Amino acid sequence: MDLAVSEPETPSEAAYRQLRDRLLAGGFPLTRRLGEERLAAMVGVSRTPVRHALIRLHGEGLVSRHQDGGYRPAIPDPEDITCLYEARRALEIGAIWAPTEAGRRHDRAALGELREHWENLRSEQPPADAGFVAVDEDFHVRLAAAAGNEVMVDLLRSVNARIRVIRIHDFLSDDRIEQTISEHLDILRAVAADDPSTAERVFRAHLAKSKEVAEERALRAIARMARLD
């Protein structure tokens, strides 16, 4: 039997992962500049991988520009987050209902592939990790794409990118990974059964719980960073 051999982690990836996880845990002072030299010594790499990691973290909204140059931990705007969640809810519910309202059905092949993928994830559940946010986003984008409206899909991708700074906090425990997988499969079953009412009800509960957990963990992390100042 062939065994997959995982490639060794690059210095840039190691720096990104360690800095991301520490930011999510609230491990840096909130207002202090994230100095490359100090971070490089902490992570055990040179400054270049740290610089690449900070650029990536800035793109994800986890760090923001510091007034003295460089970066600092980001503070999400609660009003923006609320508006983004509202936009996401409207887009995804629209995608759930769109085929029914147009007298057609979701793409059956796309639904089947998506369900198979998430059944496999349930059989071999991945460990809790902030990077699971990308897997979660992929589910919601593919489900929307199965409705056949590419404009809606593009808008959802944009909202996901802007809200990721909060949503990334939702996947830091095994129970949340397990619950997410289960709820995704429940949504898929309802959509495949041409039952948008049930799909919407499950999705609304799914989104509300995800928002509650992510915001609570993000606020705790910000509070910890404030105490370090």
Side-chain angles (χ1 to χ4, degrees):
M1 182 177 68
D2 292 335
L3 296 176
V5 179
S6 59
E7 296 183 4
E9 194 173 48
T10 66
S12 292
E13 188 64 29
Y16 164 76
R17 179 180 52 78
Q18 292 187 49
L19 295 178
R20 179 202 67 191
D21 290 351
R22 186 154 178 169
L23 283 162
L24 291 173
F28 292 107
L30 196 56
T31 60
R32 199 173 305 167
R33 182 175 175 273
L34 296 169
E36 290 180 6
E37 190 171 340
R38 181 171 57 85
L39 294 178
M42 183 189 77
V43 175
V45 298
S46 67
R47 290 179 63 177
T48 299
V50 166
R51 189 175 304 120
H52 292 163
L54 288 170
I55 292 171
R56 185 173 170 185
L57 291 164
H58 182 252
E60 294 178 349
L62 285 171
V63 299
S64 57
R65 292 289 183 182
H66 192 279
Q67 60 183 7
D68 297 328
Y71 301 95
R72 51 162 286 180
I75 308 173
D77 184 315
E79 267 191 47
D80 283 351
I81 295 302
T82 297
C83 290
L84 287 165
Y85 267 102
E86 289 175 357
R88 182 185 165 205
R89 182 174 61 239
L91 286 167
E92 297 210 48
I93 290 174
I96 286 172
W97 280 95
T100 299
E101 292 173 346
R104 51 186 174 79
R105 307 175 79 193
H106 284 77
D107 184 315
R108 315 320 280 178
L111 292 181
E113 291 174 4
L114 192 54
R115 182 169 180 175
E116 181 181 4
H117 177 66
W118 282 82
E119 289 284 7
N120 290 337
L121 287 175
R122 181 162 64 179
S123 298
E124 297 184 25
Q125 181 175 314
D129 184 81
F132 191 80
V133 70
V135 182
D136 180 81
E137 287 179 8
D138 177 72
F139 169 84
H140 291 281
V141 167
R142 288 171 66 183
L143 182 61
N149 187 325
E150 284 302 317
V151 174
M152 195 175 289
V153 171
D154 287 343
L155 289 171
L156 182 58
R157 285 197 181 102
S158 176
V159 170
N160 280 340
R162 294 177 59 188
I163 207 171
R164 192 177 298 134
V165 63
I166 289 293
R167 295 195 63 244
I168 200 169
H169 287 267
D170 188 25
F171 305 107
L172 306 182
S173 62
D174 289 334
D175 66 308
R176 285 299 300 148
I177 301 292
E178 181 180 6
Q179 187 173 3
T180 296
I181 292 170
S182 177
E183 290 172 354
H184 282 184
L185 288 168
D186 287 345
I187 294 168
L188 274 173
R189 276 189 287 272
V191 170
D194 298 317
D195 185 0
S197 295
T198 297
E200 178 183 344
R201 175 178 54 78
V202 176
F203 169 73
R204 282 182 177 274
H206 171 69
L207 183 65
K209 183 61 177 178
S210 175
K211 182 175 183 289
E212 176 189 343
V213 172
E215 288 185 332
E216 180 185 350
R217 289 176 175 172
L219 288 172
R220 285 206 305 261
I222 291 170
R224 281 193 290 270
M225 287 189 279
R227 289 195 295 270
L228 293 174
D229 279 343

